Amino acid sequence: MYVISEQVAASIGSIEATIPLVERAFADFARGDASLLPIAIGKGLDPSTSFGAKGGTIRGLGLVGVKIGSYFPGNADKGLLAHGSTTVLLDPDTGVPVALIGAVCLSAIRTAALDAIAVRLLSRPDSSSLALIGTGYQAWWDLSAIIATRPIERLLVWNRTRSSAEQFAIRASREYGIDAQAVDIETAARNADIIVTATASRDALIERKWVRAGTHISAIGADNPGKQELATDLVAASTLYADLTEQSITLGEFEAAYAQGLVKQSEITPIGAVIVGEAAGRAADEITIFDTSGTALQDLAIAKVVLETALAQNLTVTIDV
């Protein structure tokens, strides 16, 4: 079995190489040529911790595997990352483990890759202003993906800690040469063509009255029951898309609005259906919302990219299993 460390995986993970495989994976899923296992989520020995597994297959890419993710908030006191992530690929013919891949960085990259696809399909082509709500690791990857997808000229950044937003804006301005400013959350939402929410919030952050017609929102933060970043009346007033519709109403952004009876699962379009042309993308003046809570389709796709790159560059370690 090949072992690819977190450090190696992070150094060779590529949004550009991952996007076409993620798009292929969701197209295959829409056509019935890929499958997903039910997500398993549980608590660790400490009830503040959690871990889970996402697995699936992508027939056309010859991929079978599972990703194990964890969240242990006390790790910061131990000098460790709070989030953990490891992907295991299996031989599609024998079930024997083929690769063990450190996937903390890859989880952020694959999320951004799918968001780039959603932004391309659901935002206005002339979108030039972006609001980032949250300034963590994921937000930076999504910024990189969206800048490569739309002609972004202005970036509005909000974080609960003002200094973090200011530092993020300075870095974005320096690295991408765009007008980047730290602002209050209402100003960010009111003046954006595209809004990305990437927080761990359990309360609505973005209000309906702040979002203008024609805006696209990518909701990324809600990935466990009870998380929420958007007001339910905003969700109810928008055209809705998701990586997985059933997941979006159980542990994603649409959970709260669904529980209140404001939206039906049938009103949420899977992004794969848009990719293959079975469903429409944006109409000119509507508000679109794309909810992604993450799937094994993305994890398997980026694992393939990293494994092939690592083998080509002789960056793997081999162990017997």
Side-chain angles (χ1 to χ4, degrees):
M1 178 174 68
Y2 300 113
V3 177
I4 302 173
S5 69
E6 176 65 38
Q7 182 178 9
V8 169
S11 70
I12 61 179
S14 163
I15 287 181
E16 292 79 10
T18 301
I19 285 174
L21 284 190
V22 168
E23 190 162 11
R24 163 74 182 275
F26 276 89
D28 284 359
F29 186 71
R31 297 185 181 109
D33 294 328
S35 63
L36 291 170
L37 302 178
I39 293 179
I41 300 177
K43 299 291 185 182
L45 301 182
D46 181 334
S48 70
T49 65
S50 63
F51 68 100
K54 298 178 178 180
T57 67
I58 307 173
R59 186 178 304 277
L61 296 176
L63 293 171
V64 179
V66 62
K67 186 184 81 170
I68 301 170
S70 62
Y71 178 63
F72 280 56
N75 279 3
D77 298 331
K78 304 172 185 177
L80 301 171
L81 293 174
H83 289 276
S85 191
T86 305
T87 299
V88 179
L89 292 180
L90 305 179
D91 185 294
D93 296 320
T94 66
V96 173
V98 172
L100 180 72
I101 304 172
V104 173
C105 179
L106 300 188
S107 292
I109 296 174
R110 59 77 145 150
T111 298
L114 181 57
D115 191 23
I117 295 166
V119 165
R120 190 190 78 228
L121 295 171
L122 303 177
S123 70
R124 301 191 327 270
D126 63 347
S127 296
S128 62
S129 57
L130 169 65
L132 280 179
I133 309 304
T135 59
Y137 191 58
Q138 185 64 60
W140 185 261
W141 281 106
D142 271 78
L143 171 63
S144 302
I146 292 171
I147 281 181
T149 307
R150 287 291 184 251
I152 302 300
E153 299 174 353
R154 187 184 187 199
L155 174 65
L156 303 168
V157 185
W158 176 86
N159 194 67
R160 295 185 193 276
T161 304
R162 175 79 180 198
S163 60
S164 295
E166 291 172 344
Q167 292 167 11
F168 191 102
I170 290 171
R171 181 186 176 191
S173 179
R174 180 178 63 247
E175 295 196 21
Y176 289 108
I178 58 176
D179 175 16
Q181 300 174 323
V183 297
D184 64 87
I185 191 168
E186 180 177 350
T187 298
R190 286 187 179 277
N191 292 280
D193 299 319
I194 299 170
I195 301 171
V196 173
T197 57
T199 76
S201 179
R202 304 186 77 85
D203 298 297
L205 298 173
I206 304 294
E207 297 185 18
R208 167 68 185 92
K209 62 185 178 182
W210 297 346
V211 181
R212 60 195 182 188
T215 300
H216 170 70
I217 302 172
S218 287
I220 292 172
D223 58 359
N224 268 292
K227 285 189 174 183
Q228 181 185 2
E229 298 178 296
L230 308 178
T232 54
D233 61 341
L234 170 58
V235 172
S238 304
T239 304
L240 308 181
Y241 301 83
D243 47 9
L244 290 178
T245 62
E246 60 270 30
Q247 198 165 285
S248 71
I249 59 174
T250 55
L251 55 83
E253 185 57 50
F254 304 147
E255 177 195 0
Y258 177 79
Q260 295 174 19
L262 297 177
V263 300
K264 301 175 183 178
Q265 183 177 346
S266 59
E267 297 171 328
I268 305 167
T269 301
I271 196 66
V274 183
I275 291 172
V276 299
E278 294 177 355
R282 139 170 314 277
D285 294 328
E286 64 188 340
I287 296 171
T288 54
I289 301 176
F290 173 65
D291 171 55
T292 175
S293 45
T295 74
L297 298 174
Q298 297 145 273
D299 297 314
L300 296 178
I302 196 168
K304 178 178 175 65
V305 170
V306 167
L307 177 58
E308 290 178 350
T309 303
L311 288 172
Q313 297 181 18
N314 197 28
L315 295 174
T316 64
V317 174
T318 304
I319 63 172
D320 292 329
V321 294

